[in-house]
Amino acid sequence: MKIRRALATAVALAVTTPAALLAVSPAYADTKPVTQTQEKKSKPTIKELETAVAEAKETYEKAAKAKADALVELRKTLDELGSTHPLAVTAAAAKQAAKDADAAKTAADQAVTDAKAKLADLPEDATPEQKTAAETAVTEAEATAASAATAKAAADAKATEAVTAVDDARVAAVRAYSVLDKAADDALAAKIAAEAALAQAVKEAEEEEEEGDACEPENDLTAEVTGLPNKLVAGTTTDFALRVTNGSDRNMDEIIAYTGVFATDKTGIKETGKFFRLQWSTKSSPKWQSADEDDYIDGLGPLKPGSHTDVKLRLTLDKATPAGNGVAFIAADFYNKDGSCGGMTDLNMYEFDVKAAGSKPGKTEDAKPSKAPKPGAGNTGTTPLGSSSGTPAQTGTGGSLAATGSSSATGSIALAGGAAVLLGAAAVFVVRRRKAGSAA
């Protein structure tokens, strides 16, 4: 299983490579001059890349902790700005003063109205002293009302200023947190990129050690999924199907399928086994079996020209699966008893939404595939390993390779090598999800 584990690692890490490259800040967007410079220099060694990964990991951990601490401080500040913070206390007092000033102005305005009414109600035989007193009362009431209006305007201005100060403090607190939030995102992108670079270097080193001719591409071998909904709910199980078809005019002695299902959110690809469990069964092996650690389904048997084979798939989402997104990568490969083998099929990528446990999926339809570009001809892999003659070991049609461990020698290098390239190209959808999540 050593070869399989190494290739599976390359496949998994390749998924994150474009996400890391596209997630970095605009300052690093123009990579052409850097690439041209690096091409003139010697490639970094694996040891140097391992050191870079360790340093990037340490930087990210520090940035993530700083972000977490800043989030606690932000929540505390926002809470205080709603109650006990000096600015909040000042704003509350200013608003109360404005309310009192408004009441005083209302009372003063009413006093003017009352004074004018008394003046108007004086009898015709009122004495000059009475008329003078009533007129003086109106004048004094109007002066008091004018003073109250001025006081109200001043109180309203202070209240507005105090409330604005609280709002400005909230904005400043959020901006301070956003700086550390972005720093953590940048550190994560650098960490992912460093890990991907190391994985690529390890993969290239292994490929240099492999012997044998490149597999001949077979564009007429197809792998397609039906019945996978575009919306799934955490805590539920869904059955769907995979059909591998030989549309060529030649026999294929042994078919291998690749099925990779990943949970994603705005931070990228999640560990599959943590939330998803994928099982499969075939007509010859009807008992449900867990997909092996590499996500390979071995022993699908031979395919004659124009024929197909079907695989039942069952995906279970843990109840703890967070709401977000998911993606399934489907492909197939083959090798023959004479040592010849096929290049990996087009990689079909099926995206779906993940709903929180207990929620309703709403109207659903089958997830539609989108294809990632295939690697260039002649670079899709190597002849499968088997005996010294180059002939792969025999397998049955019931998936016994995964159980016996013999697939470590006979598994198609082309499939895993192609998957590493194709998953890397297809993973741009992670960036789209991350940006959509950030905007929300």
Side-chain angles (χ1 to χ4, degrees), residues 12 72 78 129 149 163 176 181 186 194 217-218 250 264 299 306 319 323 391 409 420:
V72 172
L78 293 179
E129 289 80 7
V163 171
D181 181 39
D186 290 345
E218 179 49 78
R250 58 173 172 169
T264 73
K319 288 185 178 180
T391 302

Side-chain angles (χ1 to χ4, degrees), residues 13-14 42 49 68 72 75 83 102 111 125 132 149 153-154 180 210 227 250 263 291 353 389 391 398 402 404 434:
L13 288 178
S42 60
L49 291 173
V72 172
R75 289 172 175 169
S83 56
D102 181 68
D125 59 349
T132 298
L180 295 176
E210 294 290 345
R250 58 173 172 169
D353 292 333
S389 64
T391 302
T404 62
R434 288 182 62 184

Side-chain angles (χ1 to χ4, degrees), residues 1 280 289-290 292 298 398-407:
M1 297 298 292
W280 62 273
Q289 303 180 54
S290 295
D292 66 17
D298 286 308
S400 60
L401 284 175
T404 62
S406 61
S407 60

Side-chain angles (χ1 to χ4, degrees), residues 46-64 183-184 186-195 198:
I46 290 180
K47 184 176 181 179
E48 290 172 338
L49 291 173
E50 289 174 340
T51 299
V53 167
E55 292 176 349
K57 180 180 179 181
E58 181 180 2
T59 299
Y60 169 67
E61 289 174 349
K62 290 180 178 179
D186 290 345
L188 175 60
K191 172 179 170 290
I192 293 174
E195 291 172 341
L198 174 60

Side-chain angles (χ1 to χ4, degrees), residues 257-280:
Y258 172 82
T259 58
V261 185
F262 301 89
T264 73
D265 62 17
K266 67 179 182 179
T267 64
I269 297 293
K270 296 297 183 184
E271 180 181 353
T272 304
K274 186 176 181 180
F275 300 117
F276 292 168
R277 181 191 179 199
L278 184 65
Q279 297 174 288
W280 62 273

Side-chain angles (χ1 to χ4, degrees), residues 108-109 111-112 115-116 135-151:
D109 290 340
V112 172
K116 288 182 178 179
E135 290 171 351
T136 300
V138 170
T139 300
E140 291 177 348
E142 288 176 340
T144 300
S147 178
T150 301

Side-chain angles (χ1 to χ4, degrees), residues 1-310:
M1 297 298 292
K2 181 178 180 181
I3 294 177
R4 277 292 179 85
R5 285 196 296 270
L7 291 173
T9 300
V11 170
L13 288 178
V15 175
T16 63
T17 303
L21 295 179
L22 294 177
V24 296
S25 63
Y28 301 97
D30 186 5
T31 59
K32 185 175 181 180
V34 176
T35 302
Q36 292 174 344
T37 302
Q38 290 177 342
E39 288 176 351
K40 297 178 181 179
K41 298 180 180 180
S42 60
K43 292 183 179 180
T45 65
I46 290 180
K47 184 176 181 179
E48 290 172 338
L49 291 173
E50 289 174 340
T51 299
V53 167
E55 292 176 349
K57 180 180 179 181
E58 181 180 2
T59 299
Y60 169 67
E61 289 174 349
K62 290 180 178 179
K65 184 179 185 305
K67 174 184 175 180
D69 293 343
L71 181 58
V72 172
E73 187 63 27
L74 172 63
R75 289 172 175 169
K76 177 182 176 182
T77 299
L78 293 179
D79 183 62
E80 291 176 348
L81 284 170
S83 56
T84 61
H85 193 282
L87 291 176
V89 174
T90 299
K95 287 190 286 186
Q96 182 60 49
K99 183 178 179 181
D100 294 342
D102 181 68
K105 180 181 180 299
T106 299
D109 290 340
Q110 184 61 47
V112 172
T113 301
D114 294 342
K116 288 182 178 179
K118 288 182 179 180
L119 178 60
D121 290 341
L122 285 176
E124 293 181 0
D125 59 349
T127 65
E129 289 80 7
Q130 289 176 324
K131 291 182 179 180
T132 298
E135 290 171 351
T136 300
V138 170
T139 300
E140 291 177 348
E142 288 176 340
T144 300
S147 178
T150 301
K152 179 182 182 302
D156 287 343
K158 288 184 178 180
T160 299
E161 181 181 354
V163 171
T164 300
V166 173
D167 291 340
D168 289 346
R170 288 194 178 100
V171 172
V174 172
R175 284 178 177 172
Y177 168 75
S178 67
V179 172
L180 295 176
D181 181 39
K182 184 179 184 303
D185 285 346
D186 290 345
L188 175 60
K191 172 179 170 290
I192 293 174
E195 291 172 341
L198 174 60
Q200 181 64 23
V202 171
K203 175 177 175 292
E204 290 176 355
E206 290 178 348
E207 288 177 347
E208 290 177 357
E209 296 177 358
E210 294 290 345
E211 294 181 359
D213 298 327
C215 294
E216 180 182 355
E218 179 49 78
N219 296 327
D220 291 325
L221 178 66
T222 60
E224 297 180 341
V225 159
T226 58
L228 176 63
N230 62 349
K231 297 177 184 177
L232 299 176
V233 177
T236 63
T237 297
T238 300
D239 289 349
F240 55 107
L242 165 65
R243 170 166 289 188
V244 181
T245 302
N246 179 6
S248 72
D249 57 0
R250 58 173 172 169
N251 289 316
M252 299 178 184
D253 293 339
E254 188 58 42
I255 301 297
I256 302 172
Y258 172 82
T259 58
V261 185
F262 301 89
T264 73
D265 62 17
K266 67 179 182 179
T267 64
I269 297 293
K270 296 297 183 184
E271 180 181 353
T272 304
K274 186 176 181 180
F275 300 117
F276 292 168
R277 181 191 179 199
L278 184 65
Q279 297 174 288
W280 62 273
S281 71
T282 61
K283 184 176 181 180
S284 58
S285 299
K287 184 178 179 180
W288 287 107
Q289 303 180 54
S290 295
D292 66 17
E293 61 181 5
D294 305 339
D295 296 323
Y296 288 95
I297 301 176
D298 286 308
L300 295 183
L303 278 183
K304 296 180 179 179
S307 64
H308 66 262
T309 184
D310 293 323

